[in-house]
CSV table of all heavy atoms in Angstrom, one decimal:
chain,number,residue,atom,x,y,z
A,182,GLN,N,41.1,-69.3,2.0
A,182,GLN,CA,41.4,-70.3,1.0
A,182,GLN,C,40.2,-71.2,0.7
A,182,GLN,O,40.1,-71.9,-0.3
A,182,GLN,CB,42.6,-71.1,1.3
A,182,GLN,CG,43.9,-70.2,1.3
A,182,GLN,CD,45.1,-71.0,1.7
A,182,GLN,OE1,45.1,-72.2,1.8
A,182,GLN,NE2,46.2,-70.3,1.9
A,183,ALA,N,39.3,-71.3,1.7
A,183,ALA,CA,38.2,-72.2,1.5
A,183,ALA,C,37.1,-71.6,0.6
A,183,ALA,O,36.9,-70.4,0.7
A,183,ALA,CB,37.6,-72.6,2.9
A,184,LYS,N,36.4,-72.4,-0.1
A,184,LYS,CA,35.5,-71.9,-1.1
A,184,LYS,C,34.2,-71.3,-0.3
A,184,LYS,O,33.5,-70.5,-0.9
A,184,LYS,CB,35.0,-72.9,-2.1
A,184,LYS,CG,34.4,-74.1,-1.5
A,184,LYS,CD,34.1,-75.2,-2.6
A,184,LYS,CE,33.6,-76.4,-1.9
A,184,LYS,NZ,33.7,-77.6,-2.7
A,185,HIS,N,34.0,-71.8,0.9
A,185,HIS,CA,32.8,-71.3,1.6
A,185,HIS,C,33.0,-70.0,2.3
A,185,HIS,O,32.1,-69.4,2.9
A,185,HIS,CB,32.3,-72.4,2.6
A,185,HIS,CG,33.2,-72.6,3.8
A,185,HIS,ND1,34.3,-73.3,3.8
A,185,HIS,CD2,33.1,-72.0,5.1
A,185,HIS,CE1,34.9,-73.3,4.9
A,185,HIS,NE2,34.2,-72.5,5.7
A,186,VAL,N,34.2,-69.5,2.4
A,186,VAL,CA,34.5,-68.2,3.0
A,186,VAL,C,34.5,-67.1,2.0
A,186,VAL,O,35.3,-67.2,1.0
A,186,VAL,CB,35.9,-68.3,3.8
A,186,VAL,CG1,36.2,-67.0,4.4
A,186,VAL,CG2,35.9,-69.4,4.9
A,187,ALA,N,33.6,-66.2,2.2
A,187,ALA,CA,33.5,-65.1,1.2
A,187,ALA,C,34.5,-64.0,1.5
A,187,ALA,O,34.9,-63.8,2.6
A,187,ALA,CB,32.1,-64.5,1.3
A,188,PRO,N,35.0,-63.3,0.5
A,188,PRO,CA,35.8,-62.2,0.7
A,188,PRO,C,35.1,-61.2,1.6
A,188,PRO,O,33.9,-61.1,1.6
A,188,PRO,CB,36.1,-61.6,-0.7
A,188,PRO,CG,35.7,-62.7,-1.7
A,188,PRO,CD,34.7,-63.6,-0.9
A,189,ALA,N,35.9,-60.4,2.3
A,189,ALA,CA,35.3,-59.4,3.2
A,189,ALA,C,34.4,-58.4,2.6
A,189,ALA,O,33.4,-58.0,3.1
A,189,ALA,CB,36.4,-58.7,4.0
A,190,SER,N,34.6,-58.2,1.3
A,190,SER,CA,33.8,-57.2,0.5
A,190,SER,C,32.4,-57.8,0.3
A,190,SER,O,31.4,-57.0,0.1
A,190,SER,CB,34.4,-56.9,-0.8
A,190,SER,OG,34.5,-58.0,-1.6
A,191,GLN,N,32.2,-59.1,0.4
A,191,GLN,CA,30.9,-59.7,0.2
A,191,GLN,C,30.2,-60.0,1.5
A,191,GLN,O,29.0,-60.1,1.5
A,191,GLN,CB,31.0,-61.0,-0.6
A,191,GLN,CG,31.5,-60.8,-2.0
A,191,GLN,CD,31.7,-62.2,-2.7
A,191,GLN,OE1,31.3,-63.2,-2.2
A,191,GLN,NE2,32.2,-62.1,-3.9
A,192,TRP,N,30.9,-60.1,2.6
A,192,TRP,CA,30.3,-60.4,3.9
A,192,TRP,C,30.9,-59.5,4.9
A,192,TRP,O,32.1,-59.4,5.0
A,192,TRP,CB,30.6,-61.9,4.2
A,192,TRP,CG,29.8,-62.4,5.4
A,192,TRP,CD1,28.6,-61.9,5.9
A,192,TRP,CD2,30.1,-63.6,6.1
A,192,TRP,NE1,28.2,-62.7,6.9
A,192,TRP,CE2,29.1,-63.7,7.1
A,192,TRP,CE3,31.1,-64.5,6.1
A,192,TRP,CZ2,29.0,-64.8,8.0
A,192,TRP,CZ3,31.1,-65.6,7.0
A,192,TRP,CH2,30.0,-65.7,8.0
A,193,SER,N,30.1,-58.8,5.6
A,193,SER,CA,30.6,-57.8,6.5
A,193,SER,C,31.3,-58.3,7.7
A,193,SER,O,31.9,-57.5,8.5
A,193,SER,CB,29.5,-56.8,6.9
A,193,SER,OG,28.5,-57.5,7.7
A,194,ILE,N,31.4,-59.6,7.9
A,194,ILE,CA,32.2,-60.2,9.0
A,194,ILE,C,33.6,-60.4,8.4
A,194,ILE,O,33.7,-61.2,7.4
A,194,ILE,CB,31.5,-61.5,9.5
A,194,ILE,CG1,30.1,-61.2,10.1
A,194,ILE,CG2,32.4,-62.1,10.6
A,194,ILE,CD1,29.4,-62.4,10.6
A,195,SER,N,34.5,-59.8,9.0
A,195,SER,CA,35.9,-59.8,8.5
A,195,SER,C,36.5,-61.2,8.5
A,195,SER,O,36.0,-62.1,9.2
A,195,SER,CB,36.8,-58.9,9.3
A,195,SER,OG,37.0,-59.5,10.6
A,196,ILE,N,37.5,-61.4,7.6
A,196,ILE,CA,38.2,-62.7,7.6
A,196,ILE,C,38.7,-63.1,8.9
A,196,ILE,O,38.6,-64.2,9.4
A,196,ILE,CB,39.3,-62.7,6.5
A,196,ILE,CG1,38.7,-62.5,5.1
A,196,ILE,CG2,40.1,-64.0,6.5
A,196,ILE,CD1,37.8,-63.6,4.6
A,197,SER,N,39.3,-62.1,9.6
A,197,SER,CA,39.9,-62.4,10.9
A,197,SER,C,38.9,-62.8,11.9
A,197,SER,O,39.1,-63.7,12.8
A,197,SER,CB,40.8,-61.3,11.4
A,197,SER,OG,40.0,-60.1,11.6
A,198,ASP,N,37.7,-62.1,11.9
A,198,ASP,CA,36.6,-62.5,12.8
A,198,ASP,C,36.1,-63.8,12.5
A,198,ASP,O,35.7,-64.6,13.3
A,198,ASP,CB,35.5,-61.4,12.8
A,198,ASP,CG,35.9,-60.2,13.7
A,198,ASP,OD1,36.8,-60.3,14.4
A,198,ASP,OD2,35.1,-59.2,13.6
A,199,GLN,N,36.0,-64.1,11.2
A,199,GLN,CA,35.5,-65.5,10.7
A,199,GLN,C,36.4,-66.5,11.3
A,199,GLN,O,35.9,-67.6,11.8
A,199,GLN,CB,35.5,-65.6,9.2
A,199,GLN,CG,34.4,-64.8,8.5
A,199,GLN,CD,34.5,-64.8,7.0
A,199,GLN,OE1,34.7,-65.9,6.5
A,199,GLN,NE2,34.5,-63.7,6.4
A,200,ALA,N,37.7,-66.3,11.3
A,200,ALA,CA,38.6,-67.3,11.8
A,200,ALA,C,38.5,-67.5,13.3
A,200,ALA,O,38.4,-68.6,13.9
A,200,ALA,CB,40.1,-66.9,11.5
A,201,LYS,N,38.3,-66.4,14.0
A,201,LYS,CA,38.1,-66.4,15.5
A,201,LYS,C,36.8,-67.1,15.8
A,201,LYS,O,36.8,-68.0,16.7
A,201,LYS,CB,38.1,-64.9,16.0
A,201,LYS,CG,37.9,-64.8,17.5
A,201,LYS,CD,38.1,-63.4,17.9
A,201,LYS,CE,37.3,-62.4,17.2
A,201,LYS,NZ,37.4,-61.0,17.7
A,202,TYR,N,35.8,-66.8,15.1
A,202,TYR,CA,34.5,-67.4,15.4
A,202,TYR,C,34.5,-68.9,15.1
A,202,TYR,O,33.8,-69.7,15.7
A,202,TYR,CB,33.3,-66.7,14.7
A,202,TYR,CG,33.2,-65.2,15.1
A,202,TYR,CD1,32.7,-64.3,14.2
A,202,TYR,CD2,33.6,-64.8,16.4
A,202,TYR,CE1,32.6,-63.0,14.6
A,202,TYR,CE2,33.4,-63.4,16.7
A,202,TYR,CZ,32.9,-62.5,15.8
A,202,TYR,OH,32.8,-61.2,16.2
A,203,ARG,N,35.2,-69.2,14.0
A,203,ARG,CA,35.3,-70.6,13.6
A,203,ARG,C,36.0,-71.5,14.7
A,203,ARG,O,35.5,-72.5,15.1
A,203,ARG,CB,36.2,-70.8,12.3
A,203,ARG,CG,36.4,-72.2,11.9
A,203,ARG,CD,37.4,-72.2,10.7
A,203,ARG,NE,37.7,-73.6,10.3
A,203,ARG,CZ,37.0,-74.4,9.5
A,203,ARG,NH1,35.9,-74.0,9.0
A,203,ARG,NH2,37.4,-75.6,9.3
Side-chain angles (χ1 to χ4, degrees):
Q182 296 179 8
K184 62 185 174 197
H185 72 278
V186 176
S190 62
Q191 293 179 8
W192 192 19
S193 62
I194 299 176
S195 71
I196 296 293
S197 61
D198 281 349
Q199 290 175 47
K201 180 171 53 175
Y202 300 151
R203 175 185 175 87

